Amino acid sequence: MNVVKRCVVAATLGLVMSGLAACSPEAPEPTGCTGACNLASLGRARGIRIGAAVTANRLPDADYAAAVAGHFTAVTPEFDMKWRAIHPTPTSWNWDAAERIVTFAEQHDLSVRGHALVWGKASTNPDWLLAITDPAEFRSAVLDSIAVEVGHFAGRIDRWDVVNEPFLSDAAGLDPNVFHQRIGADYVDVAFHAAHAADPTAELWLNEATLERGHSRANAFVAFVASMVQRGVPIHGVGIQTHLISGNPLQPGVLGSVVSRLRALGLKVAITEMDVPTGSTRPASEQIAAYRQAADECFAAGCEEFTTWGVSDGATWLDLPATRAAMPELASFAIPSNPLLLDAAFRPKPAYAAVADALWARPLLT
Ligand code: G3I
């Protein structure tokens, strides 16, 4: 009995909860699941968004567009909504690329995660903003930019990564980035209130890296988020990026525990940027296991979204020369690092089937 029939039969016979309804193909080849094990279909039936980071310049590629529309139910602009790209001068907005992504999403019943209104990483901010030294002028520029961008997409983008990576990259505590320096330690709160004023119906998310490690930095981050909730900041969700690029395997139960603690604050939680590069130190079998573990733990703890940072292995930030130059720690991973769920020909890989299996095990929407 082929994979699809087994999935359907198992669902019919209720074997799914017994774990007998594995959707994974027996063969390790990247055939993946089809039909009943399509990620978009599985996610829609269970109320779990399945997303991918996309770029406007790749949407004219028919295979790319078909993969986005066929396998996913949500998209995140990888860089087309970053401040440097969308608001390049004080008086000009470059809506074209972002509009192409949002329009594509609307045409294919995909939701859009706006990414990101505020990020301290200097290379993502325009020179004109970084040149503002007067605190009041800088604050005004930030408030104006948030108001205009969120207002422009009001009703079309239902959730925003308001602030990305507010913490120091390798330690607990707020990164003393330019927003922190010019506006103050409350810049995160300020950004969230500004976004809420611009679109009171939008969900406002805080997005951070390495929380899946559950280390002291993650604990400090959960405490920081709790303080935002305590202050009445309009925060609705936390994104756990889940770039497994340190080589450390996911410790069993740790991601799930972080998700549970954030959910206990009344917040939504999502995996927002997962990728799992492979190489001599990480065979494909470990990638498959990591995707399955992350999905299982996240869904079981109440995640409502699972997004990978890219559509297919053919285009990943992890293989860019600029990335490898900036991040020598990636040297242990091959190029191509094949970090995603679809291979370079947009075919589902065993990692895709692993996420499909995790979804398959979740209860259907009633
Ligand atoms: O499109 C321009 C091109 O016209 C120009 O010639 C070229 C050289 O300057 O730059 C191109 O833009 C680059 C863009 O990626 C497209 O490749 C930007 O310089 C470069 O900074 C940008 O990098 C992105 C990075 O965020 C910074 O925005 C990566 O694609 C993107 O994958 C990465 O994504 C981040 C998330 O937003 C937050 N979490 C971490 C994640 C990985 O760093």
Side-chain angles (χ1 to χ4, degrees):
M1 184 184 295
N2 70 29
V3 169
V4 173
K5 277 188 180 174
R6 191 168 73 246
C7 292
V8 173
V9 167
T12 306
L13 297 176
L15 294 178
V16 63
M17 298 315 290
S18 69
L20 294 182
C23 287
S24 304
E26 283 129 2
E29 289 77 23
T31 55
C33 293
T34 56
C37 285
N38 170 275
L39 291 182
S41 305
L42 288 163
R44 289 192 199 284
R46 291 158 178 80
I48 296 174
R49 292 189 187 101
I50 301 298
V54 299
T55 63
N57 62 0
R58 292 192 180 99
L59 288 175
D61 176 322
D63 293 335
Y64 181 90
V68 175
H71 291 291
F72 302 98
T73 61
V75 292
T76 303
E78 182 172 3
F79 55 80
D80 290 310
M81 285 188 184
K82 300 268 173 69
W83 197 328
R84 190 179 187 91
I86 203 168
H87 191 12
T89 73
T91 56
S92 68
W93 287 85
N94 176 12
W95 299 116
D96 174 60
E99 281 287 349
R100 279 186 279 145
I101 290 173
V102 173
T103 300
F104 180 89
E106 290 168 332
Q107 291 169 342
H108 296 90
D109 192 25
L110 309 176
S111 71
V112 180
R113 174 181 287 271
H115 175 87
L117 296 172
V118 169
W119 185 12
K121 187 183 176 80
S123 65
T124 68
N125 292 297
D127 294 340
W128 68 267
L129 176 73
L130 299 175
I132 301 175
T133 55
D134 175 73
E137 185 185 345
F138 186 92
R139 183 191 187 99
S140 174
V142 172
L143 295 178
D144 175 68
S145 177
I146 291 172
V148 170
E149 185 172 358
V150 174
H152 180 90
F153 289 111
R156 301 173 70 196
I157 292 181
D158 66 1
R159 64 198 183 287
W160 287 92
D161 287 341
V162 176
V163 175
N164 182 60
E165 299 172 33
F167 263 33
L168 289 159
S169 61
D170 54 2
L174 285 176
D175 182 348
N177 60 41
V178 65
F179 295 89
H180 188 288
Q181 293 168 27
R182 299 279 193 280
I183 295 174
D186 66 339
Y187 86 90
V188 175
D189 292 15
V190 168
F192 272 78
H193 282 296
H196 186 63
D199 183 358
T201 68
E203 287 180 5
L204 306 181
W205 290 65
L206 190 62
N207 192 46
E208 186 57 86
T210 79
L211 302 181
E212 68 281 352
R213 295 183 200 166
H215 44 13
S216 58
R217 179 177 180 275
N219 296 335
F221 188 86
V222 172
F224 175 76
V225 171
S227 72
M228 289 178 70
V229 173
Q230 186 66 29
R231 291 192 296 276
V233 177
I235 179 172
H236 307 106
V238 171
I240 301 177
Q241 292 183 9
T242 322
H243 291 287
L244 298 192
I245 57 179
S246 70
N248 298 332
L250 281 175
Q251 294 307 314
V254 172
L255 172 61
S257 166
V258 173
V259 174
S260 297
R261 289 158 57 197
L262 291 166
R263 294 281 294 132
L265 296 173
L267 298 174
K268 298 185 173 189
V269 184
I271 286 179
T272 51
E273 306 186 13
M274 191 163 183
D275 41 29
V276 186
T278 59
S280 58
T281 59
R282 181 187 281 151
S285 58
E286 283 190 25
Q287 177 188 72
I288 297 165
Y291 271 114
R292 179 68 195 262
Q293 182 181 340
D296 277 339
E297 291 193 19
C298 207
F299 297 154
C303 275
E304 64 167 58
E305 175 177 338
F306 187 100
T307 286
T308 55
W309 204 242
V311 173
S312 76
D313 288 342
T316 168
W317 71 289
L318 290 169
D319 293 349
L320 293 173
T323 303
R324 293 299 176 115
M327 300 175 71
E329 66 270 27
L330 296 176
S332 66
F333 300 120
I335 295 180
S337 57
N338 299 322
L340 298 168
L341 302 179
L342 299 176
D343 69 16
F346 301 100
R347 293 170 304 197
K349 296 158 55 178
Y352 179 108
V355 176
D357 287 348
L359 279 170
W360 185 266
R362 304 307 303 161
L364 295 168
L365 285 174
T366 50

